[in-house]
Amino acid sequence: MASKCRRLSGPIIRELLDSVESVLFDCDGVIWRGDEAVTGAADVINLLKKNGKRVFFLTNNSTKTRRMYVDKLRKLGFNASEEDVFGTAFCSAVYLKSEAKLNGKVYLIGSNAMKQELQNVGIPQVGVGPDPITGVQIDWANIPLDPEVKAVVVGFDEHFNYMKLNRALQYLSNPECLFVGTNTDTRLPLEGGKAVPGTGCLLKAVETAAQRQALVIGKPSKFMFDCVARQYGLDPAKTLMVGDRLDTDILLGSNCGLKTLLTLTGVSTAADAEAHRCSGCPLRLGMVPDYIVESIAELLPALQA
């Protein structure tokens, strides 16, 4: 483990970039924070592409479609197309269509973006939007269910409430009903050290009520990488994962045999990485990055040379 957690600098940056064909970037905390691009990030992405590297964006955020991501990327100066973007809304739809071969509807605890991505692959859904509660407990246990629903999918839903939790429980009482979660991030960090509850809180509530475990699509699940790798024939040994979270981005890289780079512009710190490195715990060692930079802007000199 001695070679882990190396601070990238000078010739090591060039060496690393020469050793990879593809670079996967998390978005929030890595290339932007909120609605502001990280200084130098657009130049890094655009030069990587110009230098012949394949660049992809992998995000656990399920509230945007690929199209919405491209609009944001371009607005902030990034050279990007829809084919470069792999979010959990899109990857969940891909999983249900291609892997699960779902023939039926989805009960969706999620966003309009998720609804759109499901529609894009021809999967109908019910459930998006508010679901006010009425009646008493016996009514809740006997709510009418759509017989065509064959899967429950849980993503970020600002309208999540007791009735949605109850509906999910009733559908999932059928062991044949698939159960999919977009991601397990429990908190969404905001500017100024603030945070709000993430999708993982909603998913945990549904798992607890249904007494079932969801199949999770997002990082650190290998499916997220497989989604890109299958389509573009990526070689894991020649792929770099760049992220700001040890428990999602870096663990995904470790799970898939990728090189990993932690940037300190987001959630995790160098001290967090070092604590994992010294822990001796196999799971925590999977969260130790190969390399660390303060910001991905540190890659610029090597790309401009």
Side-chain angles (χ1 to χ4, degrees):
M1 299 303 291
S3 63
K4 293 272 191 174
C5 286
R6 290 167 75 188
R7 286 280 181 168
L8 264 191
S9 62
I12 306 175
I13 298 178
R14 166 58 60 198
E15 200 180 293
L16 174 61
L17 293 177
D18 286 346
S19 73
V20 299
E21 296 170 347
S22 309
V23 188
L24 314 177
F25 285 93
D26 176 48
C27 294
D28 205 10
V30 176
I31 62 171
W32 63 57
R33 280 181 293 205
D35 291 321
E36 303 259 317
V38 167
T39 306
D43 293 333
V44 168
I45 302 291
N46 299 342
L47 281 168
L48 280 167
K49 288 191 161 194
K50 197 174 169 187
N51 290 354
K53 305 297 182 189
R54 294 190 290 185
V55 174
F56 300 96
F57 304 96
L58 272 64
T59 171
N60 276 358
N61 187 327
S62 63
T63 64
K64 288 186 173 72
T65 61
R66 293 178 112 185
R67 177 78 258 158
M68 291 160 76
Y69 265 107
V70 169
D71 289 346
K72 179 169 182 175
L73 283 159
R74 288 180 179 166
K75 188 174 150 205
L76 293 177
F78 296 90
N79 170 13
S81 63
E82 278 189 58
E83 291 69 36
D84 304 335
V85 178
F86 289 80
T88 49
F90 170 74
C91 292
S92 297
V94 168
Y95 171 78
L96 290 168
K97 186 73 177 175
S98 308
E99 300 287 308
K101 306 277 195 285
L102 185 75
N103 183 21
K105 293 180 185 174
V106 162
Y107 174 61
L108 178 59
I109 293 175
S111 61
N112 278 314
M114 293 184 69
K115 175 181 174 180
Q116 185 62 53
E117 293 289 20
L118 287 169
Q119 285 174 342
N120 289 349
V121 298
I123 296 176
Q125 61 71 50
V126 293
V128 167
D131 189 1
I133 196 154
T134 55
V136 294
Q137 287 176 344
I138 193 64
D139 303 317
W140 307 338
N142 290 289
I143 51 167
L145 300 178
D146 186 329
E148 292 179 47
V149 166
K150 299 289 192 280
V152 169
V153 178
V154 180
F156 185 79
D157 188 343
E158 64 199 46
H159 300 292
F160 185 75
N161 67 352
Y162 185 84
M163 187 49 91
K164 290 196 174 200
L165 179 61
N166 174 59
R167 264 186 222 281
L169 162 73
Q170 306 308 330
Y171 281 119
L172 290 168
S173 297
N174 174 3
E176 300 295 306
C177 185
L178 288 174
F179 183 18
V180 171
T182 57
N183 63 295
T184 56
D185 302 45
T186 51
R187 287 157 67 95
L188 304 176
L190 303 173
E191 290 79 10
K194 302 270 189 188
V196 292
T199 303
C201 301
L202 315 189
L203 183 58
K204 184 62 76 178
V206 177
E207 286 181 331
T208 305
Q211 297 181 346
R212 285 178 59 177
Q213 293 290 115
L215 175 108
V216 177
I217 298 296
K219 299 171 291 185
S221 162
K222 287 179 76 170
F223 183 76
M224 199 80 171
F225 174 69
D226 291 343
C227 226
V228 193
R230 274 202 291 263
Q231 197 169 334
Y232 292 99
L234 304 194
D235 177 354
K238 293 183 177 176
T239 303
L240 173 67
M241 177 73 218
V242 185
D244 70 310
R245 292 183 80 123
L246 299 171
D247 60 344
T248 55
D249 307 317
I250 303 306
L251 188 54
L252 170 81
S254 298
N255 287 344
C256 300
L258 318 179
K259 295 174 169 63
T260 55
L261 172 61
L262 174 72
T263 173
L264 303 178
T265 46
V267 174
S268 299
T269 66
D272 295 334
E274 192 56 35
H276 287 319
R277 190 174 77 85
C278 299
S279 69
C281 163
L283 176 65
R284 292 183 67 185
L285 291 177
M287 297 187 229
V288 180
D290 295 317
Y291 304 99
I292 298 177
V293 287
E294 287 296 327
S295 158
I296 63 164
E298 290 181 37
L299 303 182
L300 262 182
L303 289 165
Q304 290 166 332

